[in-house]
Amino acid sequence: MLRVLAVDDEEPALAELLYLLRADPRVRSAEGATDANEALRRIGRALDAGADDDHAVDVLFLDIQMAGLTGLDVARLLAGFARPPMIVFVTAHEDFAVQAFDLKAVDYVLKPVRRERLAEAVRRVAEQAAAARPAVDRSADRIPVELGGVTRLVAVADITYAEAQGDYARLHTEDASHLVRIPLTTLEERWQPHGFVRIHRSHLVALHRIDELRLDGGGMSVRIGDDELAVSRRHASRVRELLMRRAGG
């Protein structure tokens, strides 16, 4: 799931691009910036926060001709970073394609942006991100936990939800909890095939374990057994959609 920052100094164009990006199921989040300096500040903060932070930036969808620094200027600056985000240029001009690919752009999308063409760019980014990610065994259905000096294998199917605790995660089952030294973001990637979904920066839940969805005063929460967990606004629409799809299927 990609975390996107789109940059364009024309607000209508930026709004349209964000709308299309947020509709793509491979995009986890899409935020916007209206100039290069704002984009660089956000990227700097994201790099300081670390790759597992919700506000990290995996890819820039970047206009080229902007007031002040151009998109090509931004790409040249980012080339000096240790872990720069990937770049897709989105522009009305064909003339900069050679320079763009010299700067290792993943793709070059011409305006007006077509939904199908943007989806192809997202696919290329997702494939490149997957190729750069360390291989994980997504077929594994157990996780080792330490219990009184003994390593025990807990079935993923028995886990109702996982809770972030710094660089650790606390795994909850119906009758116990276990602390493992694995970030919640890593578990999210591994357990997506097992039906786990992120509902909050602090919680990853097994969709089939949700007993109740609650709406109260504009907020949303889910009940799993005796525990009630808040759903953040960022994840609310996806959680509701997944639950409705599950109920209908």
Side-chain angles (χ1 to χ4, degrees), residues 105-139:
V106 177
D107 207 345
Y108 193 90
V109 178
L110 290 174
K111 297 178 180 178
V113 177
R114 294 182 293 108
R115 184 186 299 269
E116 297 79 7
R117 181 63 184 87
L118 188 65
E120 171 64 14
V122 173
R123 183 192 65 78
R124 293 180 182 180
V125 170
E127 286 185 354
Q128 187 162 316
R133 189 179 303 130
V136 294
D137 181 6
R138 295 184 181 274
S139 65

Short mmCIF file of all heavy atoms in Angstrom, two decimals, residues 105-139:
data_model
loop_
_atom_site.label_atom_id
_atom_site.label_comp_id
_atom_site.label_asym_id
_atom_site.label_seq_id
_atom_site.Cartn_x
_atom_site.Cartn_y
_atom_site.Cartn_z
N ALA A 105 13.12 8.64 -12.90
CA ALA A 105 11.68 8.65 -12.68
C ALA A 105 11.10 7.29 -13.02
O ALA A 105 11.54 6.62 -13.96
CB ALA A 105 11.02 9.73 -13.54
N VAL A 106 10.11 6.87 -12.26
CA VAL A 106 9.44 5.59 -12.53
C VAL A 106 8.53 5.70 -13.74
O VAL A 106 8.40 4.76 -14.53
CB VAL A 106 8.63 5.13 -11.29
CG1 VAL A 106 7.88 3.84 -11.58
CG2 VAL A 106 9.56 4.94 -10.10
N ASP A 107 7.91 6.88 -13.92
CA ASP A 107 7.00 7.04 -15.05
C ASP A 107 6.85 8.52 -15.36
O ASP A 107 7.27 9.39 -14.58
CB ASP A 107 5.63 6.41 -14.73
CG ASP A 107 4.89 5.94 -15.99
OD1 ASP A 107 5.28 6.36 -17.09
OD2 ASP A 107 3.93 5.16 -15.85
N TYR A 108 6.24 8.80 -16.52
CA TYR A 108 6.05 10.16 -17.03
C TYR A 108 4.65 10.23 -17.61
O TYR A 108 4.38 9.68 -18.68
CB TYR A 108 7.11 10.44 -18.10
CG TYR A 108 7.29 11.87 -18.52
CD1 TYR A 108 8.19 12.71 -17.88
CD2 TYR A 108 6.58 12.39 -19.61
CE1 TYR A 108 8.38 14.02 -18.29
CE2 TYR A 108 6.76 13.69 -20.03
CZ TYR A 108 7.67 14.50 -19.37
OH TYR A 108 7.86 15.82 -19.78
N VAL A 109 3.74 10.88 -16.89
CA VAL A 109 2.32 10.90 -17.25
C VAL A 109 1.96 12.28 -17.79
O VAL A 109 2.25 13.30 -17.15
CB VAL A 109 1.44 10.56 -16.03
CG1 VAL A 109 -0.04 10.63 -16.39
CG2 VAL A 109 1.80 9.19 -15.48
N LEU A 110 1.34 12.30 -18.95
CA LEU A 110 0.96 13.57 -19.57
C LEU A 110 -0.45 14.00 -19.14
O LEU A 110 -1.34 13.18 -19.00
CB LEU A 110 1.02 13.46 -21.09
CG LEU A 110 2.43 13.34 -21.70
CD1 LEU A 110 2.33 13.09 -23.20
CD2 LEU A 110 3.24 14.60 -21.43
N LYS A 111 -0.60 15.32 -18.95
CA LYS A 111 -1.91 15.90 -18.69
C LYS A 111 -2.62 16.12 -20.02
O LYS A 111 -1.96 16.36 -21.03
CB LYS A 111 -1.76 17.23 -17.96
CG LYS A 111 -1.14 17.14 -16.57
CD LYS A 111 -1.02 18.54 -15.98
CE LYS A 111 -0.40 18.53 -14.60
NZ LYS A 111 -0.26 19.90 -14.06
N PRO A 112 -3.95 16.12 -20.06
CA PRO A 112 -4.85 15.79 -18.94
C PRO A 112 -4.72 14.32 -18.55
O PRO A 112 -4.60 13.46 -19.41
CB PRO A 112 -6.24 16.12 -19.49
CG PRO A 112 -6.09 16.00 -20.97
CD PRO A 112 -4.70 16.43 -21.30
N VAL A 113 -4.74 14.08 -17.26
CA VAL A 113 -4.47 12.74 -16.74
C VAL A 113 -5.70 11.85 -16.95
O VAL A 113 -6.81 12.20 -16.55
CB VAL A 113 -4.13 12.80 -15.24
CG1 VAL A 113 -3.92 11.40 -14.68
CG2 VAL A 113 -2.89 13.65 -15.02
N ARG A 114 -5.48 10.71 -17.59
CA ARG A 114 -6.55 9.73 -17.75
C ARG A 114 -6.46 8.69 -16.64
O ARG A 114 -5.37 8.30 -16.22
CB ARG A 114 -6.44 9.02 -19.11
CG ARG A 114 -6.68 9.92 -20.30
CD ARG A 114 -6.60 9.15 -21.61
NE ARG A 114 -5.25 8.66 -21.87
CZ ARG A 114 -4.89 7.39 -21.79
NH1 ARG A 114 -5.78 6.45 -21.44
NH2 ARG A 114 -3.65 7.02 -22.06
N ARG A 115 -7.59 8.27 -16.14
CA ARG A 115 -7.64 7.31 -15.03
C ARG A 115 -6.82 6.04 -15.35
O ARG A 115 -6.06 5.57 -14.51
CB ARG A 115 -9.09 6.92 -14.73
CG ARG A 115 -9.25 5.99 -13.53
CD ARG A 115 -10.70 5.54 -13.40
NE ARG A 115 -11.59 6.67 -13.18
CZ ARG A 115 -11.92 7.13 -11.98
NH1 ARG A 115 -11.43 6.56 -10.89
NH2 ARG A 115 -12.75 8.15 -11.87
N GLU A 116 -6.98 5.52 -16.56
CA GLU A 116 -6.29 4.28 -16.93
C GLU A 116 -4.79 4.49 -16.97
O GLU A 116 -4.02 3.61 -16.55
CB GLU A 116 -6.78 3.78 -18.29
CG GLU A 116 -8.26 3.40 -18.33
CD GLU A 116 -9.17 4.62 -18.46
OE1 GLU A 116 -8.65 5.75 -18.65
OE2 GLU A 116 -10.40 4.44 -18.35
N ARG A 117 -4.35 5.63 -17.46
CA ARG A 117 -2.90 5.90 -17.55
C ARG A 117 -2.31 6.09 -16.16
O ARG A 117 -1.19 5.62 -15.88
CB ARG A 117 -2.66 7.15 -18.41
CG ARG A 117 -1.18 7.48 -18.58
CD ARG A 117 -0.43 6.39 -19.32
NE ARG A 117 1.00 6.67 -19.41
CZ ARG A 117 1.87 6.33 -18.48
NH1 ARG A 117 1.46 5.69 -17.38
NH2 ARG A 117 3.16 6.60 -18.63
N LEU A 118 -3.04 6.75 -15.28
CA LEU A 118 -2.55 6.93 -13.92
C LEU A 118 -2.49 5.59 -13.19
O LEU A 118 -1.53 5.31 -12.44
CB LEU A 118 -3.46 7.89 -13.15
CG LEU A 118 -2.94 8.32 -11.77
CD1 LEU A 118 -1.66 9.13 -11.90
CD2 LEU A 118 -3.99 9.13 -11.02
N ALA A 119 -3.47 4.73 -13.43
CA ALA A 119 -3.46 3.40 -12.82
C ALA A 119 -2.24 2.61 -13.25
O ALA A 119 -1.65 1.86 -12.46
CB ALA A 119 -4.75 2.65 -13.17
N GLU A 120 -1.83 2.76 -14.51
CA GLU A 120 -0.62 2.09 -15.00
C GLU A 120 0.61 2.61 -14.28
O GLU A 120 1.52 1.84 -13.91
CB GLU A 120 -0.49 2.31 -16.51
CG GLU A 120 0.81 1.84 -17.12
CD GLU A 120 1.04 0.35 -17.02
OE1 GLU A 120 0.08 -0.40 -16.72
OE2 GLU A 120 2.19 -0.08 -17.22
N ALA A 121 0.67 3.92 -14.02
CA ALA A 121 1.80 4.50 -13.29
C ALA A 121 1.84 3.97 -11.86
O ALA A 121 2.92 3.62 -11.34
CB ALA A 121 1.70 6.03 -13.29
N VAL A 122 0.68 3.87 -11.23
CA VAL A 122 0.62 3.33 -9.87
C VAL A 122 1.08 1.87 -9.86
O VAL A 122 1.80 1.44 -8.95
CB VAL A 122 -0.81 3.46 -9.28
CG1 VAL A 122 -0.91 2.74 -7.94
CG2 VAL A 122 -1.18 4.93 -9.11
N ARG A 123 0.67 1.12 -10.88
CA ARG A 123 1.10 -0.28 -10.97
C ARG A 123 2.62 -0.39 -11.05
O ARG A 123 3.24 -1.22 -10.37
CB ARG A 123 0.48 -0.95 -12.19
CG ARG A 123 0.83 -2.44 -12.33
CD ARG A 123 0.44 -3.00 -13.68
NE ARG A 123 1.21 -2.41 -14.76
CZ ARG A 123 2.47 -2.75 -15.05
NH1 ARG A 123 3.09 -3.67 -14.34
NH2 ARG A 123 3.11 -2.16 -16.06
N ARG A 124 3.24 0.46 -11.85
CA ARG A 124 4.70 0.42 -11.99
C ARG A 124 5.39 0.77 -10.67
O ARG A 124 6.38 0.14 -10.29
CB ARG A 124 5.14 1.39 -13.08
CG ARG A 124 4.69 0.98 -14.48
CD ARG A 124 5.15 1.97 -15.54
NE ARG A 124 4.67 1.59 -16.86
CZ ARG A 124 4.92 2.27 -17.97
NH1 ARG A 124 5.65 3.37 -17.92
NH2 ARG A 124 4.46 1.85 -19.13
N VAL A 125 4.84 1.76 -9.98
CA VAL A 125 5.41 2.14 -8.68
C VAL A 125 5.27 1.00 -7.69
O VAL A 125 6.21 0.66 -6.95
CB VAL A 125 4.73 3.41 -8.15
CG1 VAL A 125 5.13 3.68 -6.70
CG2 VAL A 125 5.07 4.61 -9.02
N ALA A 126 4.08 0.39 -7.64
CA ALA A 126 3.84 -0.71 -6.69
C ALA A 126 4.77 -1.88 -6.97
O ALA A 126 5.30 -2.50 -6.04
CB ALA A 126 2.38 -1.15 -6.78
N GLU A 127 5.01 -2.18 -8.24
CA GLU A 127 5.92 -3.28 -8.59
C GLU A 127 7.34 -2.96 -8.17
O GLU A 127 8.06 -3.83 -7.66
CB GLU A 127 5.85 -3.55 -10.09
CG GLU A 127 4.58 -4.26 -10.52
CD GLU A 127 4.60 -4.62 -12.00
OE1 GLU A 127 5.55 -4.21 -12.71
OE2 GLU A 127 3.66 -5.31 -12.44
N GLN A 128 7.77 -1.71 -8.38
CA GLN A 128 9.13 -1.34 -7.99
C GLN A 128 9.28 -1.35 -6.48
O GLN A 128 10.31 -1.78 -5.95
CB GLN A 128 9.47 0.04 -8.55
CG GLN A 128 10.92 0.44 -8.34
CD GLN A 128 11.34 1.57 -9.25
OE1 GLN A 128 11.03 1.58 -10.44
NE2 GLN A 128 12.05 2.54 -8.69
N ALA A 129 8.24 -0.91 -5.77
CA ALA A 129 8.29 -0.93 -4.30
C ALA A 129 8.37 -2.36 -3.78
O ALA A 129 9.11 -2.67 -2.85
CB ALA A 129 7.07 -0.22 -3.73
N ALA A 130 7.60 -3.26 -4.40
CA ALA A 130 7.61 -4.66 -3.98
C ALA A 130 8.96 -5.30 -4.25
O ALA A 130 9.46 -6.10 -3.45
CB ALA A 130 6.51 -5.43 -4.71
N ALA A 131 9.59 -4.94 -5.37
CA ALA A 131 10.90 -5.52 -5.71
C ALA A 131 11.98 -5.06 -4.73
O ALA A 131 12.93 -5.80 -4.45
CB ALA A 131 11.28 -5.13 -7.13
N ALA A 132 11.83 -3.84 -4.20
CA ALA A 132 12.83 -3.31 -3.28
C ALA A 132 12.61 -3.78 -1.85
O ALA A 132 13.51 -3.67 -1.01
CB ALA A 132 12.80 -1.78 -3.31
N ARG A 133 11.42 -4.32 -1.56
CA ARG A 133 11.09 -4.73 -0.20
C ARG A 133 11.71 -6.10 0.09
O ARG A 133 11.67 -6.99 -0.76
CB ARG A 133 9.57 -4.81 -0.05
CG ARG A 133 9.07 -5.02 1.37
CD ARG A 133 7.57 -5.06 1.38
NE ARG A 133 7.00 -3.85 0.80
CZ ARG A 133 6.09 -3.83 -0.13
NH1 ARG A 133 5.62 -4.96 -0.62
NH2 ARG A 133 5.63 -2.69 -0.59
N PRO A 134 12.25 -6.30 1.29
CA PRO A 134 12.79 -7.62 1.63
C PRO A 134 11.70 -8.68 1.51
O PRO A 134 10.54 -8.46 1.88
CB PRO A 134 13.24 -7.46 3.09
CG PRO A 134 13.45 -6.00 3.27
CD PRO A 134 12.45 -5.32 2.37
N ALA A 135 12.09 -9.82 1.00
CA ALA A 135 11.11 -10.90 0.80
C ALA A 135 10.60 -11.40 2.14
O ALA A 135 11.34 -11.54 3.11
CB ALA A 135 11.76 -12.06 0.05
N VAL A 136 9.30 -11.62 2.23
CA VAL A 136 8.70 -12.18 3.44
C VAL A 136 7.88 -13.40 3.04
O VAL A 136 7.38 -13.50 1.91
CB VAL A 136 7.78 -11.15 4.16
CG1 VAL A 136 8.59 -10.00 4.68
CG2 VAL A 136 6.68 -10.66 3.23
N ASP A 137 7.75 -14.31 3.95
CA ASP A 137 6.97 -15.51 3.69
C ASP A 137 5.52 -15.22 4.02
O ASP A 137 5.09 -15.30 5.17
CB ASP A 137 7.51 -16.66 4.55
CG ASP A 137 6.74 -17.95 4.31
OD1 ASP A 137 5.88 -17.97 3.40
OD2 ASP A 137 6.99 -18.93 5.04
N ARG A 138 4.74 -14.89 2.99
CA ARG A 138 3.34 -14.53 3.21
C ARG A 138 2.46 -15.75 3.41
O ARG A 138 1.28 -15.60 3.72
CB ARG A 138 2.84 -13.67 2.04
CG ARG A 138 3.56 -12.34 1.96
CD ARG A 138 2.97 -11.48 0.86
NE ARG A 138 3.68 -10.22 0.78
CZ ARG A 138 3.38 -9.15 1.51
NH1 ARG A 138 2.42 -9.19 2.38
NH2 ARG A 138 4.06 -8.02 1.36
N SER A 139 3.01 -16.92 3.20
CA SER A 139 2.21 -18.12 3.42
C SER A 139 2.27 -18.58 4.88
O SER A 139 1.53 -19.47 5.28
CB SER A 139 2.70 -19.25 2.50
OG SER A 139 4.02 -19.63 2.85
#
